[in-house]
Amino acid sequence: MRTVFPIPLGEASSFEPDLARRTARAAATAATAAGLHWTFAPTVDVARDQRWGRVAEAAGEDVFLSCAFSAARVQGFQGDDLTAADSLLTTPKHFAAYGAVAAGMEYAQVDISPQTLHDVHLPPFRAALDAGARALMSAFNDINGVPASANRWLLTDLLRGQWGFDGVVVSDYTADMELIAHGYAAGEVDATAKAFSAGLDLSMQSGFYAAHLPVLVESGQVPMSLLDQSVRRILRLKETIGL
């Protein structure tokens, strides 16, 4: 037996963030009872082009509403205590500006001004972190020519430097592999080096990190200290949720 709630966009049309908090809490209770610790949600992308195929996953086009629902869903999934048996770790996504892809073309380019990026697309992520999110998922798209999943300014300078985030960043499904399709990486090894060096802690699905990080560290192309930092963040996150 499963409980089914409206899609996120449908919940957002209620203009009641507490509704999303309560449905996320119910989902977390059911998921943790089945043995899950972590969800790749909520989606907090601001979407203003209906051609984009993932509009239904977030809260629409308004920044204020997106921030309110972003925080509410994080609070609902995680609850008051991350070590509690019914707490589900969140992963706000997709960092960043995934909803701003040109002409709604999935995985593609984002040509955006700094003002629009900071005023429209980043605030829901900051709201999620302020609400207690300890992990983020990187986006497939590029931002002004640099893919988000290998964007050191985004993942390190802004996220960790300016915002003080000390949690974990995980790639979207094969986002590190997509660096090659973007023309940003020459091959698997180059993609691994660029993504990891930019601040992408975990590679999901591609297998690139397992295959290539040992050689990159042994050769000195990726400093051991950088690997240590990433490992510490992951271990700290596990400790934070009581694993």
Side-chain angles (χ1 to χ4, degrees):
M1 182 175 179
R2 296 290 185 270
T3 303
V4 179
F5 298 111
I7 62 172
L9 188 63
E11 287 187 348
S13 69
S14 71
F15 294 92
E16 295 183 33
D18 192 59
L19 172 66
R21 183 195 62 77
R22 288 185 284 125
T23 59
R25 183 88 297 269
T29 301
T32 52
L36 299 180
H37 299 285
W38 191 11
T39 178
F40 289 156
T43 297
V44 301
D45 301 301
V46 175
R48 295 180 170 177
D49 186 338
Q50 300 308 305
R51 291 173 292 183
W52 187 49
R54 303 185 68 168
V55 173
E57 295 182 36
E61 64 182 7
D62 185 77
V63 179
F64 181 82
L65 191 68
S66 295
C67 288
F69 273 82
S70 173
R73 290 188 171 116
V74 168
Q75 292 163 354
F77 281 125
Q78 296 190 164
D80 297 325
D81 180 6
L82 279 170
T83 63
D86 63 352
S87 178
L88 192 62
L89 184 73
T90 58
T91 317
K93 61 184 186 181
H94 307 79
F95 195 66
Y98 194 31
V101 288
M105 290 187 290
E106 191 76 1
Y107 295 22
Q109 68 181 47
V110 169
D111 185 4
I112 195 168
S113 70
Q115 180 175 349
T116 301
L117 180 63
H118 283 275
D119 289 354
V120 176
H121 297 280
L122 291 178
F125 290 96
R126 187 58 188 265
L129 298 185
D130 290 344
R134 304 290 301 140
L136 287 179
M137 180 179 289
S138 69
F140 282 116
N141 56 279
D142 78 26
I143 299 175
N144 298 329
V146 181
S149 295
N151 193 315
R152 183 171 177 81
W153 172 81
L154 181 70
L155 301 183
T156 296
D157 297 346
L158 173 73
L159 181 62
R160 303 193 187 283
Q162 293 183 37
W163 290 5
F165 179 67
D166 64 352
V168 169
V169 179
V170 58
S171 73
D172 203 341
Y173 197 93
T174 69
D176 50 343
M177 181 185 294
E178 301 295 334
L179 300 179
I180 302 170
H182 274 289
Y184 192 73
E188 293 186 10
V189 175
D190 190 35
T192 303
K194 286 179 175 175
F196 191 77
S197 298
L200 190 69
D201 297 302
L202 280 173
S203 166
M204 177 166 53
Q205 186 58 31
S206 74
F208 281 12
Y209 280 21
H212 305 301
L213 261 182
V215 173
L216 285 167
V217 172
E218 288 171 6
S219 67
Q221 295 178 67
V222 170
M224 178 64 80
S225 59
L226 200 63
L227 181 63
D228 288 342
Q229 288 177 10
S230 195
V231 170
R232 286 192 188 100
R233 285 193 286 261
I234 293 166
L235 293 176
R236 187 186 305 120
L237 182 64
K238 288 185 175 184
E239 184 178 22
T240 297
I241 65 174
L243 288 182

